[in-house]
């Protein structure tokens, strides 16, 4: 598959709200553990790979020292415990001791890292999100010279000031799931433009809704608000091919003006939301209910991340007709077909490390065949390493096959300036999406109101 990377300069910073749009707000990691049916195979594969690497291990006794590696990911911790990461690393570097510090969750992690940065006590190796890289950029060393960086598909796209400050461990994609047999019976095909999506959805609603008043062409649990994120969070970035759209909004007084990407995207979402294709009561359903109804074919389409596949499969006895495509946000078939991708868990080395060369050796080892292939097969997320590609589930791979020339838009969740203005104006894109389903909602008036509040907030906060 040939992918064209969108030419973006990433300047990520800490964001509020959704830390990772493709995951539920219950704190579930985007790198969820593999389904039980494949977990044993993944572990076996990981063990075989690690064993093969260990049999030809090159021992380096020159590097020495103690390292602290701080994480919050429960799935990574499980894999580390099950596969004796410290022991395997010492087979190659017997004089380097590594301590894994597991912090309760990501919220506690950021609080701890912030305090430790001020106290000059950061761990040797830490993780970042795309939008925390710039917050800690003064405490991270450049990893541009590492093989792990050169072999990573996404790292360069998140560079800051010409430096690579973190190497993303996984890649996350968003999908539209659909039932092939339902499409075929209704006489519709997979849409590749926004207008086609609207037309297909209306046809499905009319065809199945005439006999089933509870049918939804598109299942979305708007009661929980966050499930509208494919449209409300990601569509503005897809509209202009700009994964930095939230950060760019913080630089202008009128980011919701009619000619902006966000206004264009929200008008598209509003037209779809008010077309009746989400059933008679999308605000009456939560995420779990909507996914369960889709799994039982009470809906023909739903939009979720790669993590949603297992939830759908668990809700049905037969998923042989389940397929995927990417959200077609483009206006015409001659426009680029843009797809959101997110790097996650950026491994970096801090300036507080007393043994930076040993820390570099650990990072290189982590992303080598001695460790990384086993881990990436243990989780459901996609590989970020070009030298260790991971075969996608056949259902998810269908979306790639349909768009071999897709343009990847590396998404950033918004930085400190955006967060500050967002808090001041109470702008919540997911809540705004849910409000679009309410009777009498006026999108034009709301966007004008947001522009007024945005300009006042920038002035009050002194953000230029």
């Amino acid at each position: 598959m040939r992918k064209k990377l969108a030419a973006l300069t990433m300047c990520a910073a800490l964001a509020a709200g959704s830390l990772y749009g493709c995951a539920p707000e219950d704190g579930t990691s985007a790198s969820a553990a593999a389904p039980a049916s494949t977990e044993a195979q993944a572990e076996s594969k990981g063990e075989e790979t690690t064993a093969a690497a260990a049999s030809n291990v090159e021992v380096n006794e020159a590097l020495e020292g103690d390292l602290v590696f701080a994480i919050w990911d429960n799935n990574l911790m499980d894999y580390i415990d099950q596969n004796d990461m410290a022991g395997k690393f010492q087979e190659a570097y017997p004089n380097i001791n590594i301590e894994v510090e597991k912090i309760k969750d990501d919220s506690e992690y950021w609080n701890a890292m912030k305090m430790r940065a001020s106290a000059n006590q950061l761990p040797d190796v830490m993780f970042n999100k795309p939008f925390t890289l710039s917050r800690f950029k003064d405490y991270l060393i450049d990893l541009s010279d590492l093989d792990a960086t050169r072999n990573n598909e996404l790292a360069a796209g998140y560079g800051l000031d010409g430096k690579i400050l973190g190497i993303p461990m996984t890649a996350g994609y968003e999908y539209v799931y659909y039932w092939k047999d339902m499409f075929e019976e209704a006489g519709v095909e997979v849409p590749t433009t926004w207008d086609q999506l609207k037309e297909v959805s209306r046809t499905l609603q009319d065809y199945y809704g005439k006999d089933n008043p509870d049918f939804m062409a598109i299942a979305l649990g708007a009661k929980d608000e966050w499930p509208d994120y494919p449209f409300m969070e990601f569509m503005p970035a897809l509209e202009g091919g700009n994964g930095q759209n939230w950060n760019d909004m913080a630089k202008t007084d009128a980011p919701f003006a009619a000619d902006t990407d966000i206004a264009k995207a929200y008008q598209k979402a509003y037209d779809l939301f008010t077309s009746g294709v989400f059933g008679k009561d999308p605000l009456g359903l939560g995420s779990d209910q909507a996914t369960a109804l889709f799994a039982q074919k009470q809906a023909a389409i739903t939009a979720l991340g790669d993590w949603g596949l297992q939830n759908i499969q668990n809700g049905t006895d037969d998923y042989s007709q389940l397929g995927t495509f990417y959200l077609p946000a483009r206006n015409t078939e001659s426009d680029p077909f843009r797809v959101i991708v997110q790097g996650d868990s950026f491994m970096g080395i801090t300036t507080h490390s007393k043994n930076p060369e040993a820390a570099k050796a650990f990072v290189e080892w982590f992303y080598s065949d001695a460790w990384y292939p086993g881990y990436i097969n243990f989780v459901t997320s996609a590989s970020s390493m070009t030298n260790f590609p991971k075969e996608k589930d056949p259902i998810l791979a269908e979306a790639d096959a349909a768009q071999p020339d897709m343009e990847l838009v590396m998404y950033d969740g918004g930085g400190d300036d955006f967060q500050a203005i967002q808090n001041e104006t109470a702008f919540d894109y997911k809540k705004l999406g849910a409000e679009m389903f309410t009777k009498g909602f006026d999108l034009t008036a709301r966007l004008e109101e947001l522009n007024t509040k945005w300009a006042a907030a920038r002035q009050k906060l002194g953000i230029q």
Side-chain angles (χ1 to χ4, degrees):
M1 174 178 65
R2 182 163 58 90
K3 301 175 182 176
K4 298 181 290 182
L5 292 178
L8 303 174
T9 302
M10 309 303 287
C11 57
L14 186 63
S18 171
L19 288 183
Y20 196 64
C22 66
E25 290 193 340
D26 60 2
T28 303
S29 169
S31 302
S37 59
T38 60
E39 189 170 298
Q41 296 175 353
E43 290 184 28
S44 175
K45 185 174 182 179
E47 290 170 0
E48 292 173 3
T49 303
T50 306
S55 65
N56 297 304
V57 66
E58 294 184 11
V59 178
N60 184 323
E61 297 183 346
L63 291 174
E64 59 183 30
D66 296 326
L67 300 176
V68 175
F69 174 32
I71 70 174
W72 74 82
D73 189 326
N74 290 327
N75 295 310
L76 175 58
M77 191 71 242
D78 288 344
Y79 190 76
I80 286 173
D81 286 341
Q82 294 172 19
N83 292 273
D84 186 21
M85 185 192 73
K88 286 185 171 60
F89 177 64
Q90 284 199 315
E91 291 175 3
Y93 295 91
N95 296 322
I96 301 177
N97 299 308
I98 185 157
E99 174 191 347
V100 180
E101 181 184 1
K102 172 64 171 66
I103 296 177
K104 178 182 176 182
D105 54 37
D106 55 353
S107 295
E108 187 172 312
Y109 188 91
W110 302 127
N111 289 334
M113 294 302 110
K114 182 179 180 180
M115 290 187 291
R116 289 162 69 168
S118 300
N120 201 38
Q121 295 178 349
L122 284 170
D124 299 88
V125 182
M126 68 176 288
F127 278 127
N128 273 285
K129 291 283 188 176
F131 33 80
T132 65
L133 282 170
S134 65
R135 167 160 289 189
F136 291 95
K137 68 178 183 179
D138 294 334
Y139 303 98
L140 296 167
I141 69 173
D142 187 9
L143 304 181
S144 299
D145 61 337
L146 299 190
D147 288 339
T149 303
R150 288 187 283 269
N151 290 328
N152 193 276
E153 183 177 33
L154 304 176
Y158 289 93
L160 286 170
D161 303 324
K163 300 177 181 179
I164 308 300
L165 303 179
I167 304 173
M169 192 164 60
T170 60
Y173 297 84
E174 294 293 316
Y175 298 91
V176 179
Y177 298 85
Y178 76 105
W179 292 111
K180 299 177 187 177
D181 51 344
M182 295 184 74
F183 270 47
E184 182 177 358
E185 183 178 334
V188 297
E189 297 181 352
V190 170
T192 63
T193 68
W194 186 257
D195 284 342
Q196 289 176 14
L197 175 64
K198 292 196 297 183
E199 182 179 353
V200 164
S201 301
R202 283 196 296 265
T203 300
L204 289 164
Q205 189 67 44
D206 292 342
Y207 182 84
Y208 292 103
K210 67 180 185 296
D211 298 320
N212 179 5
D214 295 322
F215 179 78
M216 304 166 286
I218 305 176
L220 187 151
K223 181 180 179 180
D224 290 334
E225 295 181 352
W226 69 262
D228 62 26
Y229 75 87
F231 308 96
M232 300 303 295
E233 182 179 2
F234 292 148
M235 282 271 289
L238 292 173
E239 184 69 27
N242 179 16
Q244 290 290 319
N245 64 292
W246 301 127
N247 291 320
D248 289 344
M249 283 176 62
K251 303 172 184 177
T252 179
D253 281 342
F256 300 93
D259 59 345
T260 61
D261 289 340
I262 192 168
K264 293 175 183 177
Y266 284 2
Q267 187 61 59
K268 287 181 177 180
Y270 182 59
D271 290 344
L272 186 66
F273 288 3
T274 57
S275 65
V277 299
F278 290 84
K280 64 182 183 181
D281 188 20
L283 288 171
L285 295 174
S287 174
D288 291 344
Q289 291 172 289
T291 302
L293 288 168
F294 172 77
Q296 294 301 315
K297 296 189 176 180
Q298 297 300 303
I301 298 170
T302 194
L304 299 168
D306 45 19
W307 50 268
L309 177 59
Q310 185 179 357
N311 294 341
I312 295 169
Q313 291 175 326
N314 289 340
T316 180
D317 295 328
D318 181 6
Y319 51 85
S320 61
Q321 293 297 312
L322 183 64
T324 60
F325 58 91
Y326 288 117
L327 186 67
R330 63 181 179 176
N331 295 317
T332 71
E333 292 185 345
S334 63
D335 293 331
F337 196 107
R338 298 179 177 124
V339 173
I340 289 288
V341 62
Q342 300 179 86
D344 196 22
S345 297
F346 288 68
M347 183 182 286
I349 299 171
T350 74
T351 57
H352 295 172
S353 176
K354 296 179 180 179
N355 301 294
E357 294 305 314
K360 284 185 178 181
F362 171 69
V363 171
E364 292 277 44
W365 178 87
F366 189 97
Y367 286 96
S368 75
D369 59 359
W371 182 258
Y372 186 81
Y375 168 73
I376 199 62
N377 282 307
F378 178 73
V379 297
T380 58
S381 298
S383 172
S384 61
M385 301 298 291
T386 57
N387 54 335
F388 300 120
K390 176 182 175 180
E391 185 175 351
K392 284 188 178 182
D393 184 284
I395 294 173
L396 302 180
E398 291 180 11
D400 293 336
Q403 298 297 334
D405 295 321
M406 64 184 177
E407 178 182 283
L408 296 181
V409 178
M410 285 178 285
Y411 176 76
D412 175 88
D416 287 341
D417 286 349
F418 170 75
Q419 177 189 359
I421 301 172
Q422 184 183 40
N423 291 339
E424 184 69 23
T425 59
F427 168 58
D428 184 333
Y429 39 74
K430 290 168 286 188
K431 185 178 291 295
L432 178 62
E435 290 175 351
M436 290 183 185
F437 287 105
T438 61
K439 187 176 181 180
F441 178 82
D442 188 333
L443 178 62
T444 300
R446 180 56 61 83
L447 295 183
E448 291 175 355
E449 176 189 359
L450 283 169
N451 268 337
T452 300
K453 290 183 176 180
W454 202 267
R458 291 185 74 238
Q459 183 176 5
K460 176 181 178 180
L461 299 169
I463 294 175
Q464 302 299 316

